[in-house]
């Protein structure tokens, strides 16, 4: 089963990707991971990508999709895969179609913006690696790590203003993919607003597990 995961940043796609992959015994493929691996392995496309990265430039789509094409031809993808974080735009979705890759399901995890802001901006981290959430997993003493006693921090990526910027980009560039895959008859929407377990139950039902 070839699955694309859709949903806003903070909707919980990464968690569900891992669960789907374990259930179906297929790999999860994210652009960040395959990009790093191609650079590390020194593949033809990896060398091209590294040149852009070393110059502080964004890696262009044609290089990303060259790397993706190489990855999807590997043996572990024969029974399917989960794409997480790609495509992000309609042209990228068209590029995947043009590669001859058949998408069986575009699984969209739906979460309202205000809930995503609450989830993400409530995260707190410690330099020791421990993570907390002010509402869902608070530390015993507010702002202090239970494990080492150091003060907790909010990451720049988790600040409300940053989260809202990322959501605005998602709505403008990525959300139109829902209609793209809806017209192809492969879009399946699940609610991701309750617990992780509830979302997982809906996701597994969607993929027939």
């Amino acid at each position: 089963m070839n699955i694309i995961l859709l949903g806003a940043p903070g909707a919980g796609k990464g968690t569900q990707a891992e669960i789907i992959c374990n259930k179906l015994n297929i790999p999860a493929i994210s652009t960040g991971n395959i990009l790093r691996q191609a650079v590390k392995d020194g593949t033809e496309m990896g060398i091209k990508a590294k040149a852009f990265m070393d110059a502080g430039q964004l890696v262009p789509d044609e290089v990303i999709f060259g790397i993706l094409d190489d990855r999807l031809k590997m043996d572990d993808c024969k029974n399917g895969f989960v794409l997480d974080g790609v495509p992000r735009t309609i042209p990228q979705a068209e590029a995947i179609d043009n590669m001859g890759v058949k998408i069986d399901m575009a699984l969209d995890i739906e979460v309202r913006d205000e809930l995503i802001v609450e989830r993400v901006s409530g995260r707190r981290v410690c330099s020791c690696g421990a993570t907390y959430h002010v509402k869902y997993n608070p530390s015993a003493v507010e702002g202090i790590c239970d494990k080492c006693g150091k003060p907790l921090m909010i990451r720049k990526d988790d600040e409300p203003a940053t989260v809202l910027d990322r959501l605005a980009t998602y709505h403008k560039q990525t959300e139109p993919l829902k209609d793209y895959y809806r017209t192809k008859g492969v879009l399946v929407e699940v609610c991701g607003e309750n617990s992780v377990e509830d979302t997982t139950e809906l996701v597994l039902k969607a993929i027939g597990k």
Side-chain angles (χ1 to χ4, degrees), residues 29-205:
I29 297 170
S30 75
T31 41
N33 288 346
I34 61 170
L35 199 52
R36 282 188 291 273
Q37 193 62 48
V39 170
K40 187 181 165 192
D41 293 345
T43 65
E44 182 190 345
M45 286 294 176
I47 291 165
K48 284 185 181 178
K50 189 174 187 301
F52 286 102
M53 290 155 80
D54 288 348
Q57 297 172 335
L58 284 175
V59 180
D61 277 2
E62 57 265 30
V63 177
I64 296 274
F65 282 93
I67 292 170
L68 181 62
D69 194 32
D70 290 344
R71 179 67 186 88
L72 295 181
K73 285 174 178 164
M74 291 183 184
D75 282 351
D76 64 340
C77 291
K78 280 181 178 169
N79 294 323
F81 51 81
V82 175
L83 286 183
D84 178 12
V86 62
R88 289 180 190 272
T89 61
I90 301 273
Q92 289 184 354
E94 290 169 345
I96 289 173
D97 289 343
N98 293 336
M99 281 161 54
V101 177
K102 181 178 181 290
I103 299 303
D104 299 305
M105 182 184 293
L107 186 60
D108 175 45
I109 300 174
E110 281 287 306
V111 183
R112 283 168 295 150
D113 283 8
E114 57 266 34
L115 192 53
I116 284 177
V117 173
E118 180 189 273
R119 278 183 186 176
V120 179
S121 63
R123 279 199 291 237
R124 298 292 181 271
V125 295
C126 179
S127 55
C128 77
T131 58
Y132 301 88
H133 191 284
V134 294
K135 182 174 179 181
Y136 304 113
N137 179 32
S139 54
V141 177
E142 190 179 337
I144 301 295
C145 179
D146 292 346
K147 292 180 180 173
C148 70
K150 288 181 184 169
L152 299 176
M153 301 166 287
I154 180 167
R155 295 183 314 182
K156 178 94 178 87
D157 275 0
D158 294 343
E159 289 175 1
T162 309
V163 179
L164 287 169
D165 278 349
R166 290 172 68 204
L167 284 169
T169 302
Y170 165 77
H171 290 307
K172 186 180 174 186
Q173 294 183 355
T174 308
E175 199 163 32
L177 286 170
K178 283 160 52 177
D179 283 338
Y180 181 84
Y181 286 112
R182 187 179 282 117
T183 59
K184 289 181 175 290
V186 296
L187 182 75
V188 177
E189 293 174 285
V190 298
C191 175
E193 296 198 347
N194 300 314
S195 68
V196 171
E197 293 76 18
D198 287 341
T199 305
T200 300
E201 194 177 320
L202 294 170
V203 164
L204 294 180
K205 190 175 174 187

